[in-house]
PDB file of all heavy atoms in Angstrom:
ATOM      1  N   LEU R 372     -34.248  26.265  41.099  1.00 42.00           N
ATOM      2  CA  LEU R 372     -32.977  26.253  40.383  1.00 42.00           C
ATOM      3  C   LEU R 372     -32.691  24.888  39.769  1.00 42.00           C
ATOM      4  O   LEU R 372     -32.207  24.758  38.652  1.00 42.00           O
ATOM      5  CB  LEU R 372     -31.845  26.658  41.335  1.00 42.00           C
ATOM      6  CG  LEU R 372     -30.434  26.662  40.731  1.00 42.00           C
ATOM      7  CD1 LEU R 372     -30.353  27.671  39.582  1.00 42.00           C
ATOM      8  CD2 LEU R 372     -29.417  26.983  41.796  1.00 42.00           C
ATOM      9  N   HIS R 398     -27.479   7.932  51.622  1.00 42.00           N
ATOM     10  CA  HIS R 398     -27.766   6.954  50.571  1.00 42.00           C
ATOM     11  C   HIS R 398     -27.422   7.510  49.193  1.00 42.00           C
ATOM     12  O   HIS R 398     -27.325   6.748  48.239  1.00 42.00           O
ATOM     13  CB  HIS R 398     -29.244   6.549  50.624  1.00 42.00           C
ATOM     14  CG  HIS R 398     -30.173   7.695  50.290  1.00 42.00           C
ATOM     15  ND1 HIS R 398     -30.592   8.595  51.246  1.00 42.00           N
ATOM     16  CD2 HIS R 398     -30.741   8.060  49.113  1.00 42.00           C
ATOM     17  CE1 HIS R 398     -31.415   9.480  50.680  1.00 42.00           C
ATOM     18  NE2 HIS R 398     -31.509   9.183  49.367  1.00 42.00           N
ATOM     19  N   ARG R 429      -1.310   8.373  33.000  1.00 40.00           N
ATOM     20  CA  ARG R 429      -1.331   7.145  33.787  1.00 40.00           C
ATOM     21  C   ARG R 429      -1.017   7.483  35.239  1.00 40.00           C
ATOM     22  O   ARG R 429       0.095   7.879  35.568  1.00 40.00           O
ATOM     23  CB  ARG R 429      -0.312   6.159  33.229  1.00 40.00           C
ATOM     24  CG  ARG R 429      -0.358   4.799  33.914  1.00 40.00           C
ATOM     25  CD  ARG R 429       0.564   3.846  33.215  1.00 40.00           C
ATOM     26  NE  ARG R 429       0.162   3.677  31.846  1.00 40.00           N
ATOM     27  CZ  ARG R 429      -0.823   2.870  31.462  1.00 40.00           C
ATOM     28  NH1 ARG R 429      -1.485   2.180  32.354  1.00 40.00           N
ATOM     29  NH2 ARG R 429      -1.135   2.749  30.182  1.00 40.00           N
ATOM     30  N   ILE R 453     -27.485  10.998  29.341  1.00 88.00           N
ATOM     31  CA  ILE R 453     -27.525  11.435  27.940  1.00 88.00           C
ATOM     32  C   ILE R 453     -28.918  11.259  27.364  1.00 88.00           C
ATOM     33  O   ILE R 453     -29.423  12.099  26.613  1.00 88.00           O
ATOM     34  CB  ILE R 453     -26.482  10.656  27.116  1.00 88.00           C
ATOM     35  CG1 ILE R 453     -25.058  11.078  27.521  1.00 88.00           C
ATOM     36  CG2 ILE R 453     -26.680  10.869  25.616  1.00 88.00           C
ATOM     37  CD1 ILE R 453     -23.959  10.260  26.881  1.00 88.00           C
ATOM     38  N   GLU R 495       6.281 -15.753   9.752  1.00 83.00           N
ATOM     39  CA  GLU R 495       7.108 -14.938   8.859  1.00 83.00           C
ATOM     40  C   GLU R 495       6.612 -13.492   8.746  1.00 83.00           C
ATOM     41  O   GLU R 495       7.175 -12.703   8.005  1.00 83.00           O
ATOM     42  CB  GLU R 495       7.216 -15.569   7.462  1.00 83.00           C
ATOM     43  CG  GLU R 495       7.874 -16.941   7.473  1.00 83.00           C
ATOM     44  CD  GLU R 495       8.086 -17.486   6.072  1.00 83.00           C
ATOM     45  OE1 GLU R 495       7.554 -16.907   5.106  1.00 83.00           O
ATOM     46  OE2 GLU R 495       8.787 -18.503   5.946  1.00 83.00           O
ATOM     47  N   SER R 499       4.890  -4.761  13.612  1.00 89.00           N
ATOM     48  CA  SER R 499       5.383  -3.591  14.330  1.00 89.00           C
ATOM     49  C   SER R 499       4.198  -2.868  14.957  1.00 89.00           C
ATOM     50  O   SER R 499       3.178  -2.638  14.294  1.00 89.00           O
ATOM     51  CB  SER R 499       6.130  -2.653  13.379  1.00 89.00           C
ATOM     52  OG  SER R 499       6.516  -1.462  14.034  1.00 89.00           O
ATOM     53  N   TYR R 531       1.981  -5.642   5.025  1.00 87.00           N
ATOM     54  CA  TYR R 531       1.042  -4.615   5.513  1.00 87.00           C
ATOM     55  C   TYR R 531      -0.264  -5.221   6.034  1.00 87.00           C
ATOM     56  O   TYR R 531      -1.318  -4.608   5.939  1.00 87.00           O
ATOM     57  CB  TYR R 531       0.752  -3.598   4.410  1.00 87.00           C
ATOM     58  CG  TYR R 531       2.006  -3.023   3.799  1.00 87.00           C
ATOM     59  CD1 TYR R 531       2.405  -3.381   2.525  1.00 87.00           C
ATOM     60  CD2 TYR R 531       2.816  -2.160   4.523  1.00 87.00           C
ATOM     61  CE1 TYR R 531       3.576  -2.880   1.967  1.00 87.00           C
ATOM     62  CE2 TYR R 531       3.978  -1.654   3.984  1.00 87.00           C
ATOM     63  CZ  TYR R 531       4.352  -2.022   2.703  1.00 87.00           C
ATOM     64  OH  TYR R 531       5.509  -1.535   2.160  1.00 87.00           O
ATOM     65  N   VAL R 551       6.311 -13.892  -2.272  1.00 83.00           N
ATOM     66  CA  VAL R 551       6.852 -13.065  -3.351  1.00 83.00           C
ATOM     67  C   VAL R 551       8.354 -13.288  -3.494  1.00 83.00           C
ATOM     68  O   VAL R 551       8.892 -13.329  -4.604  1.00 83.00           O
ATOM     69  CB  VAL R 551       6.549 -11.574  -3.076  1.00 83.00           C
ATOM     70  CG1 VAL R 551       7.260 -10.675  -4.074  1.00 83.00           C
ATOM     71  CG2 VAL R 551       5.051 -11.334  -3.131  1.00 83.00           C
ATOM     72  N   MET R 673      22.533   3.203 -25.582  1.00 92.00           N
ATOM     73  CA  MET R 673      23.148   4.382 -24.978  1.00 92.00           C
ATOM     74  C   MET R 673      23.930   4.047 -23.718  1.00 92.00           C
ATOM     75  O   MET R 673      24.851   4.784 -23.333  1.00 92.00           O
ATOM     76  CB  MET R 673      22.073   5.417 -24.631  1.00 92.00           C
ATOM     77  CG  MET R 673      21.316   5.970 -25.811  1.00 92.00           C
ATOM     78  SD  MET R 673      19.999   7.096 -25.250  1.00 92.00           S
ATOM     79  CE  MET R 673      19.185   7.498 -26.794  1.00 92.00           C
ATOM     80  N   ASN R 701      17.585  -5.037 -19.713  1.00 92.00           N
ATOM     81  CA  ASN R 701      17.065  -5.827 -20.827  1.00 92.00           C
ATOM     82  C   ASN R 701      15.914  -5.068 -21.468  1.00 92.00           C
ATOM     83  O   ASN R 701      15.493  -4.017 -20.960  1.00 92.00           O
ATOM     84  CB  ASN R 701      16.608  -7.219 -20.354  1.00 92.00           C
ATOM     85  CG  ASN R 701      15.574  -7.111 -19.242  1.00 92.00           C
ATOM     86  OD1 ASN R 701      14.431  -6.724 -19.452  1.00 92.00           O
ATOM     87  ND2 ASN R 701      15.988  -7.462 -18.017  1.00 92.00           N
ATOM     88  N   MET R 704      11.629  -7.723 -20.498  1.00 94.00           N
ATOM     89  CA  MET R 704      10.950  -8.004 -19.247  1.00 94.00           C
ATOM     90  C   MET R 704      10.108  -6.800 -18.834  1.00 94.00           C
ATOM     91  O   MET R 704      10.557  -5.658 -18.900  1.00 94.00           O
ATOM     92  CB  MET R 704      11.948  -8.338 -18.135  1.00 94.00           C
ATOM     93  CG  MET R 704      12.790  -9.565 -18.416  1.00 94.00           C
ATOM     94  SD  MET R 704      11.814 -11.074 -18.545  1.00 94.00           S
ATOM     95  CE  MET R 704      11.250 -11.253 -16.854  1.00 94.00           C
ATOM     96  N   SER R 706       7.001  -5.308 -15.941  1.00 95.00           N
ATOM     97  CA  SER R 706       6.225  -5.468 -14.713  1.00 95.00           C
ATOM     98  C   SER R 706       4.775  -5.137 -15.025  1.00 95.00           C
ATOM     99  O   SER R 706       4.465  -4.513 -16.052  1.00 95.00           O
ATOM    100  CB  SER R 706       6.755  -4.541 -13.614  1.00 95.00           C
ATOM    101  OG  SER R 706       6.520  -3.177 -13.945  1.00 95.00           O
ATOM    102  N   CYS R 750      28.887   4.595 -47.774  1.00 82.00           N
ATOM    103  CA  CYS R 750      28.774   5.790 -48.610  1.00 82.00           C
ATOM    104  C   CYS R 750      29.788   6.857 -48.241  1.00 82.00           C
ATOM    105  O   CYS R 750      30.056   7.768 -49.038  1.00 82.00           O
ATOM    106  CB  CYS R 750      27.361   6.358 -48.533  1.00 82.00           C
ATOM    107  SG  CYS R 750      26.945   7.058 -46.906  1.00 82.00           S
ATOM    108  N   PRO R 758      24.273   4.369 -32.960  1.00 89.00           N
ATOM    109  CA  PRO R 758      23.439   3.163 -33.124  1.00 89.00           C
ATOM    110  C   PRO R 758      21.975   3.352 -32.760  1.00 89.00           C
ATOM    111  O   PRO R 758      21.127   2.577 -33.195  1.00 89.00           O
ATOM    112  CB  PRO R 758      24.106   2.135 -32.198  1.00 89.00           C
ATOM    113  CG  PRO R 758      24.923   2.938 -31.234  1.00 89.00           C
ATOM    114  CD  PRO R 758      25.364   4.153 -31.990  1.00 89.00           C
ATOM    115  N   ALA R 789      34.713  -7.575 -42.861  1.00 85.00           N
ATOM    116  CA  ALA R 789      35.690  -8.072 -43.842  1.00 85.00           C
ATOM    117  C   ALA R 789      37.113  -7.775 -43.382  1.00 85.00           C
ATOM    118  O   ALA R 789      38.012  -8.625 -43.509  1.00 85.00           O
ATOM    119  CB  ALA R 789      35.415  -7.431 -45.207  1.00 85.00           C
ATOM    120  N   LYS R 795      42.336 -11.503 -39.092  1.00 86.00           N
ATOM    121  CA  LYS R 795      42.402 -12.786 -38.378  1.00 86.00           C
ATOM    122  C   LYS R 795      43.142 -13.824 -39.218  1.00 86.00           C
ATOM    123  O   LYS R 795      43.957 -14.614 -38.689  1.00 86.00           O
ATOM    124  CB  LYS R 795      40.976 -13.275 -38.092  1.00 86.00           C
ATOM    125  CG  LYS R 795      40.905 -14.587 -37.310  1.00 86.00           C
ATOM    126  CD  LYS R 795      41.358 -14.375 -35.868  1.00 86.00           C
ATOM    127  CE  LYS R 795      41.028 -15.584 -35.000  1.00 86.00           C
ATOM    128  NZ  LYS R 795      41.589 -16.845 -35.486  1.00 86.00           N
TER     129      LYS R 795
END
Side-chain angles (χ1 to χ4, degrees):
L372 179 61
H398 66 274
R429 185 174 299 279
I453 291 173
E495 298 185 349
S499 175
Y531 308 108
V551 172
M673 297 176 184
N701 56 71
M704 299 297 292
S706 67
C750 68
K795 182 70 168 56

